[in-house]
Amino acid sequence: MSDNTTFDYIVIGGGTAGALMANRLSADRKLRVLLIEAGRKDDYHWIHIPVGYLYCIGNPRTDWLYNTEPDAGLNGRALRYPRGKTLGGCSSINGMIYMRGQSRDYEQWAQLTGDDTWRWNEVLPAFMKHEDHYLGDADQAARRDADFGRFHGHGGEWRVEKQRLRWDILDAFAQAAQEAGIPHSTDFNRGSNEGVGYFQVNQKAGWRWNTAKAFLRPTCYGRPNFEMWTSAQVSRLLFEAQADGTQRCTGVQVWDGHEMVQAQATREVLLCAGAIGTPQILQLSGIGAADLLQAQGITPVADLPGVGANLQDHLQIRAVYKINGAPTLNVLASSMVGKARIGLEYLLKRSGPMSMAPSQLGAFTRSSPAHEWPNLEYHVQPLSLDAFGEPLHSFPAFTASVCNLNPTSRGTVRLKSPRFEDAPAIAPNYLSTDEDRQVAADSLRVTRRIAAQPALAKYQPQEWKPGVQYQSDEDLARLAGDIATTIFHPVGTARMGADGDPMAVLDSRLRVRDGRGGRIGGLRVVDASVMPTITSGNTNSPTLMIAEKAAGWLRAEAGTAAA
Ligand SMILES: Cc1cc2nc3c(=O)[nH]c(=O)nc-3n(C[C@H](O)[C@H](O)[C@H](O)COP(=O)(O)OP(=O)(O)OC[C@H]3O[C@@H](n4cnc5c(N)ncnc54)[C@H](O)[C@@H]3O)c2cc1C
């Protein structure tokens, strides 16, 4: 920590969005940038070996170890709710799937905010700016199609690769999905992700590619205008009343593990603490629903009921099929010999199950013909278990996990106490609308239709969960509540929205509103919490896109856009 604790920008959270923000802002040597991360550096081997997510989730070295409140839609179950607590944030423990969502998601954001900057054609360049797609590599020229350059970037920091392993059972599932009418897809990232195919992943040569490696390590660490505090948790924001009666965020208060310290920002504080951390910090700082704050003894700075509301997540319903005659991880990893073979393959070739993203095969389709766009995403895995953190089953099986991409259920993140050390109450309220329960039941029927196709017949799939005896809408929705879990995509808890929208926490340029029609100066939120609606896919790369756009605006405002 340097003696001078005054910076141009302070970035709170060195996760997905925060790492990119810190990189882009500190690229201008005239700007002093401080990055504050509650977790430690990402120098832990299981972060970098792809299969290591199994050992990072539930591990205090890398995970905040949150749990949800008991959830009525899940028949009273509470879920483990992992969030990355290390440099790279969730990108250090996530499933590495590279997915932008669907063009309609961004058209909807533009409509909800009244700002065309969020339209698909306007966000596409921000996705591409930091992309380093393997098909752009010189030796891949023959494999590119004519449209590749319209949709993909090369030479940026964010590496996208194809996976390094395939499984017979997943190939058969892909074939069965096509027999059930889902087209084959080689690229889920061109605006419509409809189809079935292997996911592309954020890996480089068989290692996880997190945002710390992409945006911090090669560049920021060597910049004299960049400072980073790790194991440092922001406890609240600092404000000063201005002569015109408005409030300005002037800095942060930080617990450095020994004492409370402060840092000041002359330009802006960027809140990039994620969909749980960001509403928690805002509420601790007096920005939130006034009644909630007062109940915790916190003096409101801005009465914004949208802070911590609008929590949206994808709920994955994990149907398990026992099979015969194909290798699955359940069996391969059950013996010492199998484990040794897996280890050796990774050591020698950086391939095999240790290089495996948790889900390799994906599919996007509709729960019923009434849906104009695909509203379901499949993550198909050559393994099965009762719950993450539990051992693999001893019998050969695959899991066809399906999630509703556009849930209408909304949850909350609310302080339980005014102490920054205490986790907030996370209540996703899964399956709390009739529409979501109907989609859950219909999605399990789509899974059954795929499993019944000829391509899978030779493996004799038997539905182990939820079980063929359950057929009615009511049974299937209830059973979904038993076998479903988060797919780790909380968003929307400090959402942007148009002027006059009482639940909008931010304007469309991510500035924090003051609850009286104005803005709080010097403060923006830049992370997954800003999304008004969840994207129709995995949420990491959309969060990077948001940060790329915000960084562009800040650099333009600082007069250094071209630097
Ligand atoms: C297990 C798992 C699997 C996933 N799989 C995928 C996938 O395959 N593909 C995909 O696209 N998405 C996936 N996601 C989701 C995706 O990773 C997230 O949506 C994305 O990383 C969110 O980025 P963020 O910047 O909003 O937050 P984060 O990446 O969570 O960053 C927030 C950072 O802020 C820090 N922080 C929080 N509070 C404080 C504080 N008070 N003081 C200082 N620092 C603080 C945190 O420690 C963290 O480093 C997954 C997520 C998880 C957890």
Side-chain angles (χ1 to χ4, degrees):
M1 195 180 292
S2 62
D3 292 341
N4 180 358
T5 56
T6 300
F7 299 83
D8 291 286
Y9 294 103
I10 296 177
V11 179
I12 304 174
T16 293
L20 185 144
M21 288 304 290
N23 176 302
R24 296 293 184 257
L25 295 174
S26 64
D28 178 353
R29 303 301 160 99
K30 293 191 296 299
L31 300 173
R32 274 195 92 212
V33 177
L34 170 64
L35 176 64
I36 305 175
E37 166 56 42
R40 288 160 58 187
K41 285 192 170 174
D42 61 328
D43 52 2
Y44 178 55
H45 62 288
W46 283 124
I47 292 175
H48 305 290
I49 298 170
V51 83
Y53 67 90
L54 286 174
Y55 310 106
C56 290
I57 291 176
N59 179 346
R61 170 69 180 80
T62 44
D63 183 358
W64 284 86
L65 307 178
Y66 294 128
N67 290 296
T68 67
E69 301 297 301
D71 199 303
L74 304 186
N75 307 322
R77 284 185 304 134
L79 298 178
R80 194 186 257 194
Y81 214 61
R83 295 283 90 198
K85 187 180 186 183
T86 178
L87 282 182
C90 289
S91 81
S92 292
I93 68 167
N94 74 9
M96 295 162 278
I97 293 170
Y98 181 69
M99 188 64 60
R100 295 170 177 172
Q102 297 171 4
S103 59
R104 63 162 172 141
D105 301 329
Y106 304 102
E107 301 299 329
Q108 190 182 23
W109 290 11
Q111 199 187 359
L112 290 169
T113 58
D115 188 342
D116 282 350
T117 194
W118 295 108
R119 299 189 69 158
W120 169 247
N121 281 340
E122 299 293 323
V123 301
L124 184 56
F127 279 111
M128 291 167 63
K129 181 167 183 200
H130 50 250
E131 190 179 10
D132 186 26
H133 197 284
Y134 79 100
L135 281 179
D137 296 352
D139 63 345
Q140 298 289 333
R143 304 187 54 217
R144 284 174 227 152
D145 63 48
D147 277 342
F148 175 79
R150 272 182 57 216
F151 293 104
H152 289 289
H154 186 255
E157 297 92 340
W158 195 229
R159 183 70 178 166
V160 180
E161 294 197 342
K162 67 177 177 186
Q163 294 182 64
R164 300 164 80 86
L165 78 169
R166 49 160 294 279
W167 297 81
D168 289 345
I169 188 66
L170 297 189
D171 291 348
F173 189 96
Q175 193 60 42
Q178 289 171 66
E179 289 168 351
I182 303 172
H184 174 60
S185 172
T186 54
D187 188 352
F188 289 127
N189 288 302
R190 295 189 179 198
S192 166
N193 44 22
E194 179 155 27
V196 57
Y198 279 85
F199 290 120
Q200 292 176 342
V201 288
N202 298 117
Q203 291 185 3
K204 195 169 206 169
W207 300 101
R208 173 190 293 277
W209 197 242
N210 65 356
T211 58
K213 277 189 258 188
F215 297 103
L216 298 178
R217 247 185 232 181
T219 44
C220 291
Y221 285 7
R223 292 174 179 164
N225 58 326
F226 173 76
E227 186 162 327
M228 183 167 76
W229 300 352
T230 50
S231 303
Q233 184 169 346
V234 170
S235 62
R236 68 181 176 94
L237 308 170
L238 304 172
F239 300 101
E240 260 177 35
Q242 306 296 290
D244 61 1
T246 60
Q247 294 281 342
R248 182 172 181 82
C249 180
T250 53
V252 294
Q253 178 171 286
V254 186
W255 175 249
D256 74 359
H258 306 285
E259 57 176 345
M260 280 294 183
V261 296
Q262 293 192 349
Q264 291 72 38
T266 53
R267 287 177 183 269
E268 287 201 21
V269 171
L270 289 328
L271 196 38
C272 305
I276 307 302
T278 283
Q280 182 191 22
I281 293 171
L282 286 171
Q283 290 170 359
L284 286 168
S285 310
I287 300 180
D291 56 348
L292 167 73
L293 302 178
Q294 277 151 354
Q296 298 296 346
I298 296 169
T299 308
V301 173
D303 180 11
L304 286 180
V307 174
N310 193 47
L311 172 63
Q312 298 169 49
D313 191 8
H314 291 140
L315 181 72
Q316 52 165 333
I317 306 173
R318 299 178 58 80
V320 174
Y321 285 82
K322 285 185 171 180
I323 57 161
N324 282 310
T328 67
L329 198 62
N330 289 9
V331 177
L332 283 183
S334 66
S335 69
M336 285 316 286
V337 177
K339 282 189 180 129
R341 274 182 34 205
I342 289 171
L344 204 61
E345 184 174 359
Y346 188 71
L347 213 58
L348 297 177
K349 298 198 274 186
R350 294 275 175 273
S351 66
M354 285 184 78
S355 73
M356 192 169 119
S359 303
Q360 288 99 65
L361 188 77
F364 292 83
T365 189
R366 294 166 180 73
S367 61
S368 84
H371 290 270
E372 191 187 339
W373 287 77
N375 67 325
L376 299 181
E377 179 177 5
Y378 278 89
H379 294 78
V380 194
Q381 304 165 343
L383 55 87
S384 65
L385 32 70
D386 282 339
F388 289 105
E390 301 289 318
L392 295 172
H393 292 142
S394 55
F395 48 81
F398 71 85
T399 302
S401 150
V402 61
C403 64
N404 174 358
L405 288 169
N406 312 117
T408 51
S409 300
R410 297 287 182 267
T412 55
V413 176
R414 292 163 69 91
L415 289 187
K416 274 183 175 165
S417 95
R419 287 162 39 92
F420 75 93
E421 309 93 313
D422 293 345
I426 304 168
N429 289 326
Y430 294 116
L431 299 176
S432 56
T433 66
D434 289 345
E435 185 178 329
D436 287 358
R437 284 192 293 277
Q438 185 64 53
V439 172
D442 289 344
S443 67
L444 282 166
R445 294 194 179 99
V446 176
T447 310
R448 285 176 176 170
R449 204 171 71 229
I450 297 170
Q453 297 300 319
L456 276 166
K458 69 174 169 183
Y459 300 117
Q460 302 160 299
Q462 284 173 48
E463 185 178 310
W464 192 67
K465 288 272 172 76
V468 283
Q469 65 273 34
Y470 302 108
Q471 294 288 338
S472 69
D473 283 351
E474 200 185 320
D475 276 350
L476 289 176
R478 179 173 45 78
L479 267 289
D482 280 344
I483 61 174
T485 185
T486 175
I487 203 154
F488 319 111
H489 294 167
V491 305
T493 48
R495 72 166 170 84
M496 53 181 168
D499 287 351
D501 175 347
M503 296 302 279
V505 177
L506 313 174
D507 68 14
S508 67
R509 300 295 160 121
L510 312 181
R511 291 172 290 226
V512 178
R513 297 177 179 278
D514 67 1
R516 296 190 302 271
R519 313 279 183 272
I520 293 176
L523 180 62
R524 268 180 235 241
V525 176
V526 186
D527 60 24
S529 38
V530 315
M531 298 185 193
T533 50
I534 194 165
T535 52
S536 302
N538 314 69
T539 47
N540 193 61
S541 292
T543 306
L544 276 180
M545 176 279 291
I546 291 165
E548 191 73 88
K549 283 185 81 77
W553 300 329
L554 288 167
R555 292 287 303 271
E557 284 171 23
T560 61

